[in-house]
Amino acid sequence: MEILWLLFSIGLLVAIVGPYIRRKRGGIRLAAPGSPDAADPENYGFARQEQLDIRVPGPDQDLMDALGNVQRSGTWQAASGLLAGTPKEGERRWQRVQAFGGAAALELVQQPGAGAQWLKAWRLEAEKDAGGAQVHAELLVQQAWRHSGGVGSDDHRIILEEAREACRKAALLAPGDPVPYITELAIARGLAYPEAEFDALWAKVIDRAPDHMGAHIAALHYWGEKWHGSREKADAFSHAAAARAPRGSLLAALPLFALYENLPDVVLVGSFWQSAVVTRAVEGALYAVHTARQDDPMLAHVRHLLLSFLVSMERWAEAMEQVRHVDGYVGALPWSATPDPAAAYAVHRALAVAGYEANGGSPATLPR
């Protein structure tokens, strides 16, 4: 635990000095604050760290409007209407359910006993509304993982048991909707479902949404060696999904998520980032990004993870390309797995800018 806090402290230090990184062809070194040679992300029109939105991976104005409405008014109808108009088979519905559930969970932390009144009213006044049932299940999952006593605690287990029952009630309200089953994937990981039980749950997901990228990422956590599988099982799961993915599907990027899932807490060998396994996973993800629909809701998730890897690989121009597309939003891996997502993203962005400029790049040469 001490080494993790040390690394986080170092990360915050880099976040503070990041804007003062000096460009020098062939290398990167620190410059004095205010130096005309300092690399500054704001020169590219990027958002300031305090302006970064940690709730979502990319823009979704309809979601922001509905979320703002329910939080200002304390009523649930805007959220219900948005979910009712969001196709159940796609990625966006699951993302919106997550966002509403996460917002409710945060309100309850900030205002114990008084927060998320809109969700309470939603469940009381529209018990048969499938969207409200799904958001309630997601709220419980996020409470268990983020705001309970931690994995293995009684509170964590009790809340996940309640969430499992909420998922099953939500599934009954919308039999063809994959979202309740995707939400249950996180419960399966926390309650350590046996493999046979997990496989049965996964079959329900892919029967309804066989190419759902978010579902595959959620299932991948279960198969990782940090949870109930192994490096080999996670690799097999991700490569099988990538191999059967149709052209234009982001599932071709799943091996990169498997690699991230099984990364050691600390990588001490610099050559790791130039290894064949990392290069193959990154190239697969880049292929997926280049061939995917540009309005695919999961595209931002892939770009965020690519940014992290490309910075570590010192592939600065490609890293800047990811920043150009995702800047302003940090609600995605790997940032969402850190104590301060905005700071973690800002560190990588500052390094990408510095590396880009150290190799001759500038705001004028970055494509718009």
Side-chain angles (χ1 to χ4, degrees), residues 50-109:
E50 60 269 22
Q51 297 172 328
L52 295 169
D53 194 326
I54 66 172
R55 298 171 296 177
V56 288
D60 185 344
Q61 192 57 49
D62 289 342
L63 171 63
M64 294 297 104
D65 290 345
L67 187 54
N69 181 290
V70 299
Q71 292 180 320
R72 285 191 306 271
S73 68
T75 61
W76 50 270
Q77 283 80 4
S80 176
L82 180 64
L83 291 181
T86 306
K88 62 186 179 183
E89 299 85 2
E91 308 276 355
R92 195 172 297 280
R93 182 180 177 88
W94 177 64
Q95 289 190 6
R96 288 172 171 175
V97 167
Q98 283 191 306
F100 285 125
L106 183 58
E107 285 184 44
L108 287 170
V109 170

Short mmCIF file of all heavy atoms in Angstrom, two decimals, residues 50-109:
data_model
loop_
_atom_site.label_atom_id
_atom_site.label_comp_id
_atom_site.label_asym_id
_atom_site.label_seq_id
_atom_site.Cartn_x
_atom_site.Cartn_y
_atom_site.Cartn_z
N GLU A 50 -9.07 21.66 -13.69
CA GLU A 50 -10.28 21.80 -12.86
C GLU A 50 -11.55 21.82 -13.70
O GLU A 50 -12.65 21.71 -13.16
CB GLU A 50 -10.20 23.08 -12.02
CG GLU A 50 -10.09 24.36 -12.81
CD GLU A 50 -8.64 24.77 -13.08
OE1 GLU A 50 -7.76 23.89 -13.02
OE2 GLU A 50 -8.43 25.97 -13.31
N GLN A 51 -11.43 21.92 -15.01
CA GLN A 51 -12.60 21.90 -15.89
C GLN A 51 -12.89 20.52 -16.45
O GLN A 51 -13.92 20.32 -17.12
CB GLN A 51 -12.38 22.87 -17.06
CG GLN A 51 -12.24 24.34 -16.64
CD GLN A 51 -11.83 25.23 -17.80
OE1 GLN A 51 -11.10 24.82 -18.70
NE2 GLN A 51 -12.30 26.46 -17.78
N LEU A 52 -12.04 19.55 -16.20
CA LEU A 52 -12.23 18.21 -16.74
C LEU A 52 -13.44 17.53 -16.10
O LEU A 52 -13.60 17.57 -14.88
CB LEU A 52 -10.97 17.37 -16.51
CG LEU A 52 -9.71 17.85 -17.25
CD1 LEU A 52 -8.49 17.11 -16.74
CD2 LEU A 52 -9.86 17.67 -18.75
N ASP A 53 -14.28 16.92 -16.91
CA ASP A 53 -15.49 16.26 -16.44
C ASP A 53 -15.17 14.80 -16.12
O ASP A 53 -14.83 14.02 -17.01
CB ASP A 53 -16.58 16.33 -17.51
CG ASP A 53 -17.96 15.98 -16.98
OD1 ASP A 53 -18.05 15.12 -16.08
OD2 ASP A 53 -18.95 16.56 -17.46
N ILE A 54 -15.27 14.43 -14.84
CA ILE A 54 -14.90 13.08 -14.42
C ILE A 54 -16.08 12.11 -14.51
O ILE A 54 -15.94 10.93 -14.21
CB ILE A 54 -14.34 13.07 -12.99
CG1 ILE A 54 -15.43 13.46 -11.97
CG2 ILE A 54 -13.13 13.99 -12.87
CD1 ILE A 54 -15.00 13.29 -10.53
N ARG A 55 -17.26 12.60 -14.95
CA ARG A 55 -18.46 11.75 -14.93
C ARG A 55 -18.59 10.87 -16.15
O ARG A 55 -19.16 9.77 -16.07
CB ARG A 55 -19.71 12.64 -14.82
CG ARG A 55 -19.77 13.47 -13.54
CD ARG A 55 -20.90 14.48 -13.61
NE ARG A 55 -20.69 15.46 -14.69
CZ ARG A 55 -21.55 16.42 -15.01
NH1 ARG A 55 -22.69 16.52 -14.33
NH2 ARG A 55 -21.28 17.28 -15.98
N VAL A 56 -18.12 11.32 -17.28
CA VAL A 56 -18.35 10.62 -18.54
C VAL A 56 -17.07 10.57 -19.35
O VAL A 56 -16.18 11.41 -19.20
CB VAL A 56 -19.47 11.30 -19.37
CG1 VAL A 56 -20.83 11.07 -18.74
CG2 VAL A 56 -19.20 12.80 -19.52
N PRO A 57 -16.93 9.59 -20.27
CA PRO A 57 -15.72 9.47 -21.08
C PRO A 57 -15.66 10.45 -22.24
O PRO A 57 -14.59 10.73 -22.78
CB PRO A 57 -15.78 8.04 -21.59
CG PRO A 57 -17.24 7.73 -21.64
CD PRO A 57 -17.84 8.44 -20.46
N GLY A 58 -16.82 10.95 -22.65
CA GLY A 58 -16.90 11.85 -23.79
C GLY A 58 -18.21 12.60 -23.76
O GLY A 58 -19.06 12.38 -22.90
N PRO A 59 -18.41 13.52 -24.69
CA PRO A 59 -19.60 14.37 -24.65
C PRO A 59 -20.89 13.61 -24.88
O PRO A 59 -20.97 12.72 -25.72
CB PRO A 59 -19.34 15.39 -25.77
CG PRO A 59 -18.38 14.71 -26.70
CD PRO A 59 -17.53 13.84 -25.84
N ASP A 60 -21.92 13.96 -24.11
CA ASP A 60 -23.28 13.45 -24.28
C ASP A 60 -24.20 14.53 -23.73
O ASP A 60 -24.61 14.49 -22.58
CB ASP A 60 -23.47 12.12 -23.54
CG ASP A 60 -24.85 11.50 -23.79
OD1 ASP A 60 -25.74 12.21 -24.28
OD2 ASP A 60 -25.03 10.30 -23.47
N GLN A 61 -24.51 15.51 -24.58
CA GLN A 61 -25.25 16.67 -24.11
C GLN A 61 -26.64 16.31 -23.63
O GLN A 61 -27.15 16.89 -22.67
CB GLN A 61 -25.33 17.73 -25.22
CG GLN A 61 -25.83 19.08 -24.72
CD GLN A 61 -24.97 19.64 -23.61
OE1 GLN A 61 -23.74 19.69 -23.73
NE2 GLN A 61 -25.59 20.05 -22.51
N ASP A 62 -27.29 15.35 -24.30
CA ASP A 62 -28.63 14.94 -23.86
C ASP A 62 -28.58 14.39 -22.43
O ASP A 62 -29.47 14.67 -21.61
CB ASP A 62 -29.21 13.89 -24.80
CG ASP A 62 -29.60 14.47 -26.15
OD1 ASP A 62 -29.75 15.70 -26.25
OD2 ASP A 62 -29.71 13.70 -27.12
N LEU A 63 -27.55 13.62 -22.13
CA LEU A 63 -27.40 13.10 -20.78
C LEU A 63 -27.16 14.22 -19.78
O LEU A 63 -27.76 14.26 -18.70
CB LEU A 63 -26.23 12.11 -20.73
CG LEU A 63 -25.80 11.64 -19.35
CD1 LEU A 63 -26.92 10.88 -18.65
CD2 LEU A 63 -24.54 10.78 -19.45
N MET A 64 -26.26 15.15 -20.12
CA MET A 64 -25.96 16.25 -19.21
C MET A 64 -27.21 17.11 -18.95
O MET A 64 -27.45 17.54 -17.82
CB MET A 64 -24.84 17.12 -19.78
CG MET A 64 -23.49 16.42 -19.88
SD MET A 64 -22.84 15.92 -18.26
CE MET A 64 -23.16 14.15 -18.31
N ASP A 65 -28.00 17.33 -19.99
CA ASP A 65 -29.23 18.11 -19.82
C ASP A 65 -30.21 17.40 -18.88
O ASP A 65 -30.79 18.02 -17.99
CB ASP A 65 -29.89 18.36 -21.17
CG ASP A 65 -29.10 19.32 -22.06
OD1 ASP A 65 -28.21 20.02 -21.54
OD2 ASP A 65 -29.37 19.35 -23.28
N ALA A 66 -30.39 16.10 -19.09
CA ALA A 66 -31.32 15.34 -18.25
C ALA A 66 -30.82 15.25 -16.82
O ALA A 66 -31.59 15.40 -15.85
CB ALA A 66 -31.53 13.94 -18.83
N LEU A 67 -29.52 15.02 -16.65
CA LEU A 67 -28.95 14.92 -15.31
C LEU A 67 -29.07 16.24 -14.58
O LEU A 67 -29.43 16.29 -13.39
CB LEU A 67 -27.49 14.48 -15.40
CG LEU A 67 -26.77 14.15 -14.10
CD1 LEU A 67 -27.53 13.11 -13.29
CD2 LEU A 67 -25.35 13.68 -14.39
N GLY A 68 -28.79 17.34 -15.28
CA GLY A 68 -28.94 18.66 -14.67
C GLY A 68 -30.38 18.92 -14.27
O GLY A 68 -30.65 19.49 -13.21
N ASN A 69 -31.32 18.48 -15.10
CA ASN A 69 -32.73 18.69 -14.82
C ASN A 69 -33.16 17.96 -13.55
O ASN A 69 -33.80 18.54 -12.66
CB ASN A 69 -33.56 18.23 -16.01
CG ASN A 69 -35.06 18.44 -15.83
OD1 ASN A 69 -35.69 17.78 -15.02
ND2 ASN A 69 -35.63 19.38 -16.58
N VAL A 70 -32.80 16.67 -13.44
CA VAL A 70 -33.26 15.91 -12.26
C VAL A 70 -32.61 16.41 -10.99
O VAL A 70 -33.25 16.43 -9.92
CB VAL A 70 -33.01 14.38 -12.44
CG1 VAL A 70 -33.76 13.85 -13.64
CG2 VAL A 70 -31.53 14.06 -12.53
N GLN A 71 -31.38 16.87 -11.08
CA GLN A 71 -30.71 17.34 -9.87
C GLN A 71 -31.20 18.71 -9.43
O GLN A 71 -31.27 19.00 -8.24
CB GLN A 71 -29.19 17.34 -10.09
CG GLN A 71 -28.61 15.93 -10.22
CD GLN A 71 -27.11 15.91 -10.42
OE1 GLN A 71 -26.56 16.74 -11.15
NE2 GLN A 71 -26.44 14.97 -9.79
N ARG A 72 -31.56 19.56 -10.39
CA ARG A 72 -32.11 20.87 -10.04
C ARG A 72 -33.53 20.78 -9.52
O ARG A 72 -33.90 21.41 -8.53
CB ARG A 72 -32.08 21.81 -11.25
CG ARG A 72 -30.73 22.35 -11.64
CD ARG A 72 -30.89 23.47 -12.66
NE ARG A 72 -31.68 23.04 -13.82
CZ ARG A 72 -31.17 22.47 -14.90
NH1 ARG A 72 -29.87 22.24 -14.97
NH2 ARG A 72 -31.94 22.12 -15.91
N SER A 73 -34.34 19.97 -10.19
CA SER A 73 -35.77 19.93 -9.89
C SER A 73 -36.15 18.88 -8.84
O SER A 73 -37.21 18.97 -8.22
CB SER A 73 -36.56 19.65 -11.17
OG SER A 73 -36.31 18.32 -11.64
N GLY A 74 -35.30 17.87 -8.68
CA GLY A 74 -35.63 16.78 -7.78
C GLY A 74 -36.67 15.83 -8.35
O GLY A 74 -37.18 14.96 -7.63
N THR A 75 -36.96 15.98 -9.64
CA THR A 75 -37.93 15.10 -10.30
C THR A 75 -37.19 14.16 -11.25
O THR A 75 -36.08 14.43 -11.67
CB THR A 75 -38.96 15.91 -11.08
OG1 THR A 75 -38.30 16.69 -12.10
CG2 THR A 75 -39.72 16.86 -10.16
N TRP A 76 -37.85 13.06 -11.61
CA TRP A 76 -37.19 11.99 -12.34
C TRP A 76 -37.60 11.88 -13.80
O TRP A 76 -37.01 11.11 -14.56
CB TRP A 76 -37.51 10.66 -11.67
CG TRP A 76 -38.98 10.45 -11.42
CD1 TRP A 76 -39.68 10.80 -10.31
CD2 TRP A 76 -39.95 9.86 -12.32
NE1 TRP A 76 -41.02 10.46 -10.43
CE2 TRP A 76 -41.21 9.89 -11.66
CE3 TRP A 76 -39.86 9.31 -13.59
CZ2 TRP A 76 -42.37 9.38 -12.24
CZ3 TRP A 76 -41.01 8.80 -14.19
CH2 TRP A 76 -42.26 8.84 -13.52
N GLN A 77 -38.59 12.64 -14.24
CA GLN A 77 -39.17 12.43 -15.56
C GLN A 77 -38.17 12.63 -16.70
O GLN A 77 -38.23 11.92 -17.71
CB GLN A 77 -40.38 13.33 -15.74
CG GLN A 77 -41.64 12.84 -15.02
CD GLN A 77 -41.65 13.16 -13.54
OE1 GLN A 77 -40.74 13.83 -13.02
NE2 GLN A 77 -42.67 12.69 -12.83
N ALA A 78 -37.25 13.59 -16.57
CA ALA A 78 -36.27 13.82 -17.64
C ALA A 78 -35.37 12.61 -17.82
O ALA A 78 -35.04 12.23 -18.95
CB ALA A 78 -35.44 15.06 -17.34
N ALA A 79 -34.96 11.99 -16.73
CA ALA A 79 -34.12 10.80 -16.80
C ALA A 79 -34.88 9.64 -17.42
O ALA A 79 -34.37 8.92 -18.28
CB ALA A 79 -33.61 10.42 -15.42
N SER A 80 -36.11 9.47 -16.99
CA SER A 80 -36.94 8.39 -17.53
C SER A 80 -37.16 8.55 -19.03
O SER A 80 -37.05 7.60 -19.80
CB SER A 80 -38.28 8.35 -16.79
OG SER A 80 -39.13 7.37 -17.35
N GLY A 81 -37.47 9.78 -19.44
CA GLY A 81 -37.70 10.03 -20.85
C GLY A 81 -36.47 9.78 -21.70
O GLY A 81 -36.56 9.23 -22.81
N LEU A 82 -35.30 10.18 -21.19
CA LEU A 82 -34.07 9.96 -21.95
C LEU A 82 -33.80 8.47 -22.13
O LEU A 82 -33.48 8.01 -23.23
CB LEU A 82 -32.89 10.64 -21.24
CG LEU A 82 -31.54 10.47 -21.95
CD1 LEU A 82 -31.56 11.17 -23.31
CD2 LEU A 82 -30.41 11.02 -21.09
N LEU A 83 -33.91 7.70 -21.05
CA LEU A 83 -33.64 6.27 -21.16
C LEU A 83 -34.68 5.57 -22.02
O LEU A 83 -34.35 4.64 -22.78
CB LEU A 83 -33.60 5.64 -19.77
CG LEU A 83 -32.39 6.03 -18.90
CD1 LEU A 83 -32.45 5.31 -17.55
CD2 LEU A 83 -31.08 5.74 -19.60
N ALA A 84 -35.93 6.00 -21.94
CA ALA A 84 -36.98 5.38 -22.76
C ALA A 84 -36.70 5.59 -24.24
O ALA A 84 -37.06 4.75 -25.07
CB ALA A 84 -38.35 5.96 -22.39
N GLY A 85 -36.05 6.70 -24.58
CA GLY A 85 -35.74 6.98 -25.98
C GLY A 85 -34.38 6.50 -26.42
O GLY A 85 -33.96 6.78 -27.56
N THR A 86 -33.64 5.80 -25.55
CA THR A 86 -32.30 5.30 -25.87
C THR A 86 -32.40 3.82 -26.22
O THR A 86 -32.87 3.03 -25.40
CB THR A 86 -31.34 5.49 -24.68
OG1 THR A 86 -31.35 6.86 -24.27
CG2 THR A 86 -29.93 5.09 -25.07
N PRO A 87 -31.96 3.40 -27.41
CA PRO A 87 -32.08 1.99 -27.81
C PRO A 87 -31.45 1.06 -26.77
O PRO A 87 -30.33 1.30 -26.30
CB PRO A 87 -31.32 1.94 -29.14
CG PRO A 87 -31.43 3.32 -29.69
CD PRO A 87 -31.38 4.23 -28.49
N LYS A 88 -32.15 -0.01 -26.43
CA LYS A 88 -31.70 -0.88 -25.36
C LYS A 88 -30.50 -1.74 -25.74
O LYS A 88 -29.75 -2.19 -24.89
CB LYS A 88 -32.86 -1.78 -24.89
CG LYS A 88 -33.41 -2.70 -25.96
CD LYS A 88 -34.64 -3.44 -25.47
CE LYS A 88 -35.23 -4.35 -26.54
NZ LYS A 88 -36.46 -5.02 -26.09
N GLU A 89 -30.31 -1.99 -27.05
CA GLU A 89 -29.23 -2.90 -27.46
C GLU A 89 -27.87 -2.21 -27.51
O GLU A 89 -26.84 -2.86 -27.53
CB GLU A 89 -29.53 -3.49 -28.84
CG GLU A 89 -30.79 -4.32 -28.92
CD GLU A 89 -32.03 -3.47 -29.16
OE1 GLU A 89 -31.87 -2.23 -29.30
OE2 GLU A 89 -33.14 -4.03 -29.19
N GLY A 90 -27.84 -0.88 -27.56
CA GLY A 90 -26.59 -0.18 -27.79
C GLY A 90 -25.79 0.10 -26.54
O GLY A 90 -26.22 -0.15 -25.41
N GLU A 91 -24.61 0.67 -26.76
CA GLU A 91 -23.70 1.00 -25.67
C GLU A 91 -24.20 2.21 -24.87
O GLU A 91 -23.96 2.30 -23.67
CB GLU A 91 -22.31 1.33 -26.24
CG GLU A 91 -21.72 0.30 -27.17
CD GLU A 91 -21.03 -0.83 -26.46
OE1 GLU A 91 -20.91 -0.78 -25.22
OE2 GLU A 91 -20.58 -1.77 -27.15
N ARG A 92 -24.88 3.14 -25.55
CA ARG A 92 -25.19 4.41 -24.91
C ARG A 92 -26.15 4.25 -23.74
O ARG A 92 -26.05 4.95 -22.73
CB ARG A 92 -25.73 5.40 -25.93
CG ARG A 92 -25.71 6.83 -25.40
CD ARG A 92 -26.07 7.83 -26.47
NE ARG A 92 -25.12 7.87 -27.57
CZ ARG A 92 -23.95 8.50 -27.54
NH1 ARG A 92 -23.58 9.13 -26.43
NH2 ARG A 92 -23.16 8.51 -28.59
N ARG A 93 -27.11 3.31 -23.86
CA ARG A 93 -28.06 3.14 -22.76
C ARG A 93 -27.34 2.71 -21.49
O ARG A 93 -27.59 3.24 -20.40
CB ARG A 93 -29.14 2.12 -23.12
CG ARG A 93 -30.19 1.95 -22.01
CD ARG A 93 -31.25 0.94 -22.40
NE ARG A 93 -32.20 0.73 -21.32
CZ ARG A 93 -33.30 1.46 -21.13
NH1 ARG A 93 -33.57 2.46 -21.95
NH2 ARG A 93 -34.10 1.21 -20.11
N TRP A 94 -26.42 1.75 -21.63
CA TRP A 94 -25.67 1.30 -20.45
C TRP A 94 -24.85 2.45 -19.86
O TRP A 94 -24.79 2.63 -18.64
CB TRP A 94 -24.77 0.12 -20.84
CG TRP A 94 -23.92 -0.38 -19.75
CD1 TRP A 94 -24.31 -0.96 -18.58
CD2 TRP A 94 -22.48 -0.34 -19.69
NE1 TRP A 94 -23.22 -1.30 -17.80
CE2 TRP A 94 -22.08 -0.94 -18.47
CE3 TRP A 94 -21.50 0.11 -20.57
CZ2 TRP A 94 -20.75 -1.07 -18.11
CZ3 TRP A 94 -20.17 -0.03 -20.21
CH2 TRP A 94 -19.82 -0.61 -18.98
N GLN A 95 -24.22 3.26 -20.71
CA GLN A 95 -23.43 4.38 -20.22
C GLN A 95 -24.31 5.38 -19.48
O GLN A 95 -23.91 5.93 -18.44
CB GLN A 95 -22.71 5.07 -21.38
CG GLN A 95 -21.58 4.26 -21.96
CD GLN A 95 -20.73 5.05 -22.95
OE1 GLN A 95 -20.93 6.25 -23.12
NE2 GLN A 95 -19.81 4.39 -23.61
N ARG A 96 -25.50 5.63 -20.00
CA ARG A 96 -26.39 6.58 -19.34
C ARG A 96 -26.92 6.05 -18.02
O ARG A 96 -27.04 6.80 -17.04
CB ARG A 96 -27.53 6.95 -20.29
CG ARG A 96 -27.07 7.84 -21.44
CD ARG A 96 -28.12 8.08 -22.50
NE ARG A 96 -27.69 9.11 -23.45
CZ ARG A 96 -28.35 9.47 -24.54
NH1 ARG A 96 -29.50 8.87 -24.84
NH2 ARG A 96 -27.88 10.43 -25.34
N VAL A 97 -27.22 4.76 -17.97
CA VAL A 97 -27.63 4.16 -16.70
C VAL A 97 -26.50 4.29 -15.69
O VAL A 97 -26.72 4.64 -14.51
CB VAL A 97 -28.03 2.69 -16.91
CG1 VAL A 97 -28.15 1.96 -15.57
CG2 VAL A 97 -29.36 2.59 -17.66
N GLN A 98 -25.27 4.03 -16.11
CA GLN A 98 -24.13 4.19 -15.22
C GLN A 98 -24.00 5.62 -14.71
O GLN A 98 -23.72 5.85 -13.53
CB GLN A 98 -22.84 3.80 -15.95
CG GLN A 98 -22.60 2.32 -16.09
CD GLN A 98 -21.20 2.05 -16.58
OE1 GLN A 98 -20.77 2.57 -17.60
NE2 GLN A 98 -20.47 1.24 -15.85
N ALA A 99 -24.20 6.58 -15.61
CA ALA A 99 -24.05 7.98 -15.22
C ALA A 99 -25.11 8.40 -14.20
O ALA A 99 -24.81 9.06 -13.20
CB ALA A 99 -24.13 8.87 -16.46
N PHE A 100 -26.36 8.00 -14.43
CA PHE A 100 -27.41 8.34 -13.47
C PHE A 100 -27.17 7.64 -12.13
O PHE A 100 -27.32 8.24 -11.06
CB PHE A 100 -28.78 7.94 -14.03
CG PHE A 100 -29.31 8.87 -15.09
CD1 PHE A 100 -29.68 8.37 -16.34
CD2 PHE A 100 -29.45 10.22 -14.85
CE1 PHE A 100 -30.16 9.21 -17.33
CE2 PHE A 100 -29.95 11.08 -15.83
CZ PHE A 100 -30.30 10.57 -17.08
N GLY A 101 -26.77 6.36 -12.18
CA GLY A 101 -26.49 5.63 -10.96
C GLY A 101 -25.32 6.23 -10.20
O GLY A 101 -25.35 6.35 -8.97
N GLY A 102 -24.28 6.61 -10.93
CA GLY A 102 -23.11 7.22 -10.29
C GLY A 102 -23.44 8.57 -9.67
O GLY A 102 -22.97 8.89 -8.58
N ALA A 103 -24.26 9.37 -10.36
CA ALA A 103 -24.65 10.66 -9.82
C ALA A 103 -25.45 10.49 -8.53
O ALA A 103 -25.25 11.22 -7.55
CB ALA A 103 -25.47 11.43 -10.85
N ALA A 104 -26.36 9.51 -8.51
CA ALA A 104 -27.14 9.25 -7.31
C ALA A 104 -26.25 8.79 -6.16
O ALA A 104 -26.43 9.23 -5.01
CB ALA A 104 -28.22 8.21 -7.61
N ALA A 105 -25.29 7.92 -6.46
CA ALA A 105 -24.39 7.43 -5.42
C ALA A 105 -23.57 8.58 -4.82
O ALA A 105 -23.38 8.65 -3.60
CB ALA A 105 -23.46 6.36 -6.00
N LEU A 106 -23.10 9.48 -5.68
CA LEU A 106 -22.31 10.62 -5.19
C LEU A 106 -23.17 11.55 -4.33
O LEU A 106 -22.72 12.04 -3.30
CB LEU A 106 -21.72 11.38 -6.37
CG LEU A 106 -20.80 12.56 -6.02
CD1 LEU A 106 -19.62 12.09 -5.17
CD2 LEU A 106 -20.31 13.25 -7.29
N GLU A 107 -24.41 11.77 -4.75
CA GLU A 107 -25.31 12.62 -3.96
C GLU A 107 -25.52 12.03 -2.56
O GLU A 107 -25.57 12.76 -1.56
CB GLU A 107 -26.65 12.76 -4.66
CG GLU A 107 -26.65 13.70 -5.86
CD GLU A 107 -28.04 13.86 -6.43
OE1 GLU A 107 -29.00 14.02 -5.64
OE2 GLU A 107 -28.18 13.82 -7.67
N LEU A 108 -25.66 10.72 -2.47
CA LEU A 108 -25.89 10.09 -1.18
C LEU A 108 -24.66 10.17 -0.28
O LEU A 108 -24.78 10.22 0.95
CB LEU A 108 -26.30 8.63 -1.38
CG LEU A 108 -27.73 8.44 -1.91
CD1 LEU A 108 -27.96 6.98 -2.32
CD2 LEU A 108 -28.75 8.86 -0.85
N VAL A 109 -23.46 10.18 -0.88
CA VAL A 109 -22.25 10.36 -0.10
C VAL A 109 -22.17 11.80 0.42
O VAL A 109 -21.83 12.05 1.58
CB VAL A 109 -21.00 10.03 -0.94
CG1 VAL A 109 -19.72 10.45 -0.22
CG2 VAL A 109 -20.95 8.54 -1.23
#
